Amino acid sequence: MAFLSFLFRRLGLSLFVFVGVLILTFIVSRVIPSNPAALYAGARPRPEQVQEIEKKLGLDKPLSEQFRVYVGDLLVGNLGESYHSRRSINTDLRLFLPATLELVIAAVLIALVLGIPTGVLAGAYPRSPFDYATRFAAVAGVSAPSFWLALIAQFIFFSQLGWLPLGGRVSRDATLFYPIAAQTGFYLIDAAVSGNWKAWLDALHHLILPALVLSAYPVGITIRMTQASMLEVLSETYITAARAAGLSRGVILFKLALKNAIMPALTVVGLSFAYSITGAFLVETIFSWPGVGKYVTEAVLNVDFPVIIAVTLVVTLVYILVNLLIDLMQALLDPRVRLV
Amino acid sequence: MTLLKVENLHVQFTTPFGIVRALRGIDFELDKGDIMGLVGETGCGKSVTGRSIMRLLDENAEVTEGRIIFNKTDLLRLSEREMHAIRGDRIAMIFQDPATALNPLFTIGGQINDVLRAHSPAPAAQRRKATLELLASVGLPDPAQMMDVYPHQLSGGQQQRAMIALSLAAEPEVIIADEPTTALDVTIQAQILDLLRTLQRERAISVILITHDLGIVAETCQKVAVLYAGRVVEQGAVAAIFAGPQHPYSRGLLAALPRPGSRGTDLKVIPGNVPSGLERIDGCAFAPRCEFVMERCHRLQPPLFSLAAEHQAACLLHEDRVHG
């Protein structure tokens, strides 16, 4: 019961945040000194063309009326239309969002699977060669620019070794001979559901390099956070008590200590997940990955407000969901949290 | 019969301020089935002694000399793997503050289950039964419910009972109780000590009770070793020492206790301070504070002189009274 009320309280709070962002994005898009209608009309429009478009887009109406239409559209899930390409943003995002999510989720999974055990061991053996080596790797992973890593990765694994493809989500062969039936837009899921294993393998091949490059930052930060909090937890009395009780090192490190030490790492990985939705655009560009980062970067260059607003709202939603998830995990791990 | 014997134990810590000599030759014996008190002020080395026996000292600590003989084997010579087999299984430990000694994120039942699983191949159902019995044997109400309770949901006394249940899980022969009642209310204190006495009687467990409280020693222990600045200054049967303390330090400690009728008068204190572990001490560590100090006390470190069958004191005043 305590858990459910905790959940509902967090959900209520999240709604509040979302409405705030909704209002902010609307205001910002209306006070920016640029004329959307002129942009929509294209190069050198006549004044009456601009007026006509203003009317069409509803920009001649009072702000309160515009806001009502904007919220009304959002409530029915309509994100609007790009000023630049005139395409429906819903259609675009249905294409780009799963591509980005697939990439970012893969990167985050790599970060957790690689970073947490490494951090645990580095924390368990402080000042050991392993500790120093992972420290160096972690700092390198966090500070290396992703575009540089991407180029190096392509050079090694594509040009030199020829193990992995250069970019894209699937190869031309796959699109031609065993196309993936789009359901969710997550190629790995779609291919697996339809039993199209050749395409699944092809999609996985394409995913590896960009996911690895994108994971460099979260891997590094996961290692550091886990190492630091393990170091702290391992000095607690209950760890000495566990050792005095004759529990094995494995149980102490990966069960008793890790459960106490994992939260900071999960928190930063969660935030870097949300950040990567738009922040991955360099990696997406270099690997020709048709993702949200690339999409919104173009929109920004074209001052395409509906797209910018839509993506902002989507990213907000992701942030909210990730934070909610982190809070829920914290509550699940730590029985004391639910009472607060 | 001697179960555990600590001989000439020296432990030092490397700190940013220099080397701290925490133990400078500890000697004592724990007899089977006894409760032995290690008593002394903060910093005298009583907890370090407990940790040394478990071989759970911090990384900056080093045992430089001595032996810890348990069942004819020197614990200090065992490999880490051999020592691991002894921890929990033959020698267990309980801690000062049960709130920090229990893992906050695991249920009481889960924590005891972990210990059981580490020490025996019994199936889960049997472990559950054993856990319930353990919880009942330490006097926790409603053991079935206690299984799924987290440490923060218990009172301090209940937490310490749970901790004791945990330490008993693998049926150890020795329990090292490091100030087990210091963090508890006085009434709860008495209950926990009662529990320790009961367990010692019923399960024939030997207990090393580390405390700074002479009252607890008088009530609970058969034997006591008084520690001062990393050495045992007096040891023997509790009755003998409380009746006639022979070392000036123990005498001072007992004189400092408030007694019936002492109301309104100032409590007696021992003047001066405990020497820091950083200082080099050649003679008797207590000499600078001792009212009977002789010139030789600053040069000669007194060994333990036997005064009676079960009474030894490390003071040059007794040099000529040695029983052999």
Side-chain angles (χ1 to χ4, degrees):
Chain A
M1 273 309 98
F3 188 76
L4 274 183
S5 87
F6 174 84
L7 180 64
F8 283 122
R9 248 178 310 148
R10 300 297 303 163
L11 276 173
L13 223 64
S14 304
L15 194 71
F16 195 69
V17 172
F18 190 74
V19 169
V21 173
L22 202 74
I23 295 170
L24 263 178
T25 46
F26 177 80
I27 293 172
V28 168
S29 71
R30 292 306 187 270
V31 298
I32 290 271
S34 83
N35 188 347
L39 285 165
Y40 189 90
R44 269 179 283 171
R46 276 167 299 151
E48 55 269 32
Q49 273 182 318
V50 173
Q51 264 174 13
E52 197 181 313
I53 289 163
E54 268 181 356
K55 206 163 183 182
K56 185 183 159 196
L57 297 178
L59 293 171
D60 56 339
K61 298 200 179 82
L63 273 182
S64 59
E65 174 69 15
Q66 287 186 35
F67 186 69
R68 227 163 37 94
V69 172
Y70 164 72
V71 174
D73 277 352
L74 280 178
L75 282 178
V76 296
N78 180 11
L79 292 169
E81 189 181 80
S82 157
Y83 287 169
H84 189 70
S85 70
R86 312 276 162 95
R87 278 202 314 246
S88 145
I89 298 171
N90 287 52
T91 317
D92 281 351
L93 277 183
R94 209 165 295 140
L95 200 69
F96 297 130
L97 193 58
T100 290
L101 285 178
E102 190 165 47
L103 179 63
V104 177
I105 288 172
V108 161
L109 286 181
I110 293 172
L112 294 177
V113 169
L114 216 66
I116 286 180
T118 311
V120 168
L121 292 175
Y125 302 98
R127 293 180 299 281
S128 66
F130 182 78
D131 183 27
Y132 289 123
T134 54
R135 219 172 265 240
F136 177 79
V139 172
V142 168
S143 38
S146 61
F147 66 88
W148 181 81
L149 278 179
L151 294 173
I152 297 285
Q154 282 180 334
F155 175 73
I156 296 174
F157 293 99
F158 175 73
S159 318
Q160 297 299 307
L161 299 169
W163 290 355
L164 294 164
L166 188 62
R169 289 187 79 187
V170 285
S171 62
R172 186 164 301 142
D173 282 6
T175 29
L176 287 177
F177 302 119
Y178 32 92
I180 294 169
Q183 299 271 336
T184 60
F186 293 83
Y187 279 8
L188 287 180
I189 295 177
D190 288 346
V193 165
S194 56
N196 188 352
W197 296 111
K198 261 183 156 167
W200 187 85
L201 211 64
D202 187 71
L204 183 66
H205 255 103
H206 283 77
L207 183 61
I208 291 174
L209 270 195
L212 274 178
V213 168
L214 198 58
S215 75
Y217 179 81
V219 164
I221 203 149
T222 308
I223 291 177
R224 297 298 298 129
M225 293 305 257
T226 311
Q227 189 264 356
S229 64
M230 276 299 282
L231 212 56
E232 205 178 298
V233 167
L234 287 176
S235 68
E236 296 282 347
T237 312
Y238 53 78
I239 296 299
T240 311
R243 292 176 65 199
L247 298 184
S248 71
R249 195 140 180 85
V251 170
I252 291 176
L253 289 181
F254 286 94
K255 182 178 175 182
L256 307 181
L258 182 55
K259 194 173 179 187
N260 281 280
I262 201 170
M263 239 11 255
L266 290 185
T267 306
V268 290
V269 167
L271 293 180
S272 93
F273 173 87
Y275 169 80
S276 298
I277 301 293
T278 54
F281 74 96
L282 279 176
V283 175
E284 285 176 356
T285 305
I286 292 172
F287 286 100
S288 333
W289 195 268
V292 174
K294 247 174 93 174
Y295 180 55
V296 77
T297 308
E298 274 163 33
V300 169
L301 294 177
N302 294 323
V303 207
D304 195 345
F305 271 116
V307 174
I308 297 171
I309 291 176
V311 171
T312 306
L313 288 179
V314 167
V315 170
T316 306
L317 209 58
V318 172
Y319 263 104
I320 288 173
L321 288 178
V322 164
N323 270 314
L324 194 65
L325 200 69
I326 291 170
D327 284 348
L328 287 184
M329 269 194 286
Q330 173 119 45
L332 280 177
L333 285 176
D334 191 338
R336 293 167 300 183
V337 170
R338 285 170 234 168
L339 301 171
V340 184
Chain B
M1 197 190 86
T2 304
L3 181 61
L4 184 88
K5 187 174 183 192
V6 176
E7 282 178 10
N8 193 31
L9 186 64
H10 286 71
V11 172
Q12 62 185 36
F13 290 82
T14 311
T15 73
F17 310 103
I19 287 176
V20 174
R21 284 173 232 285
L23 302 188
R24 301 180 303 116
I26 293 273
D27 292 279
F28 70 88
E29 288 174 24
L30 171 68
D31 283 344
K32 199 169 164 55
D34 264 6
I35 299 185
M36 159 107 192
L38 285 188
V39 69
E41 294 168 70
T42 303
C44 72
K46 46 195 198 303
S47 290
V48 174
T49 307
R51 295 277 180 112
S52 306
I53 297 171
M54 295 303 280
R55 293 230 333 236
L56 287 176
L57 289 167
D58 289 339
E59 264 179 35
N60 62 341
E62 191 193 350
V63 178
T64 49
E65 238 186 290
R67 301 199 298 167
I68 299 172
I69 313 288
F70 174 65
N71 277 340
K72 298 194 180 81
T73 45
D74 184 355
L75 296 184
L76 296 174
R77 300 236 179 293
L78 294 183
S79 69
E80 178 52 34
R81 179 187 288 265
E82 289 166 323
M83 191 60 214
H84 180 71
I86 286 182
R87 286 189 202 113
D89 200 47
R90 320 247 341 242
I91 308 177
M93 196 160 176
I94 45 186
F95 295 83
Q96 176 166 343
D97 185 0
T100 60
L102 292 166
N103 196 317
L105 305 192
F106 293 87
T107 60
I108 300 299
Q111 298 192 42
I112 295 177
N113 183 46
D114 275 344
V115 179
L116 288 170
R117 188 158 51 187
H119 294 287
S120 91
Q126 209 172 319
R127 286 204 304 270
R128 192 183 156 79
K129 201 169 145 263
T131 307
L132 286 170
E133 281 169 14
L134 278 166
L135 290 173
S137 75
V138 296
L140 280 169
D142 197 358
Q145 191 222 325
M146 284 292 158
M147 294 281 286
D148 305 316
V149 152
Y150 289 91
H152 73 273
Q153 294 166 295
L154 298 177
S155 69
Q158 289 173 323
Q159 286 172 344
Q160 194 59 292
R161 284 174 192 273
M163 187 69 221
I164 293 173
L166 196 141
S167 72
L168 290 173
E171 298 176 1
E173 295 156 60
V174 178
I175 288 184
I176 299 171
D178 189 355
E179 306 247 13
T181 58
T182 308
L184 305 175
D185 289 343
V186 180
T187 45
I188 308 298
Q189 207 171 57
Q191 293 173 15
I192 294 291
L193 292 173
D194 241 10
L195 173 64
L196 276 178
R197 272 194 300 260
T198 312
L199 293 170
Q200 169 246 350
R201 256 198 328 270
E202 290 174 357
R203 297 182 178 232
I205 291 175
S206 319
V207 179
I208 295 177
L209 182 64
I210 296 169
T211 180
H212 61 259
D213 188 331
L214 288 168
I216 289 178
V217 172
E219 269 173 57
T220 319
C221 305
Q222 281 94 39
K223 282 206 201 163
V224 62
V226 181
L227 269 61
Y228 185 79
R231 279 181 76 81
V232 173
V233 292
E234 182 159 4
Q235 67 169 317
V238 166
I241 289 181
F242 275 71
Q246 293 304 314
H247 193 283
Y249 177 63
S250 355
R251 221 178 281 177
L253 278 185
L254 285 167
L257 286 179
R259 288 176 193 284
S262 67
R263 195 191 172 100
T265 60
D266 284 345
L267 289 174
K268 286 209 173 75
V269 294
I270 306 174
N273 282 309
V274 182
S276 127
L278 287 163
E279 294 166 28
R280 187 189 155 86
I281 302 169
D282 286 320
C284 171
F286 189 63
R289 305 171 71 185
C290 183
E291 50 180 318
F292 307 106
V293 65
M294 302 174 284
E295 184 268 328
R296 288 183 306 147
C297 294
H298 295 289
R299 284 183 288 112
L300 290 172
Q301 189 169 66
L304 281 166
F305 297 113
S306 290
L307 309 173
E310 287 208 348
H311 195 169
Q312 299 167 296
C315 180
L316 293 177
L317 290 175
H318 305 293
E319 207 173 7
D320 44 350
R321 286 177 47 192
V322 180
H323 275 246

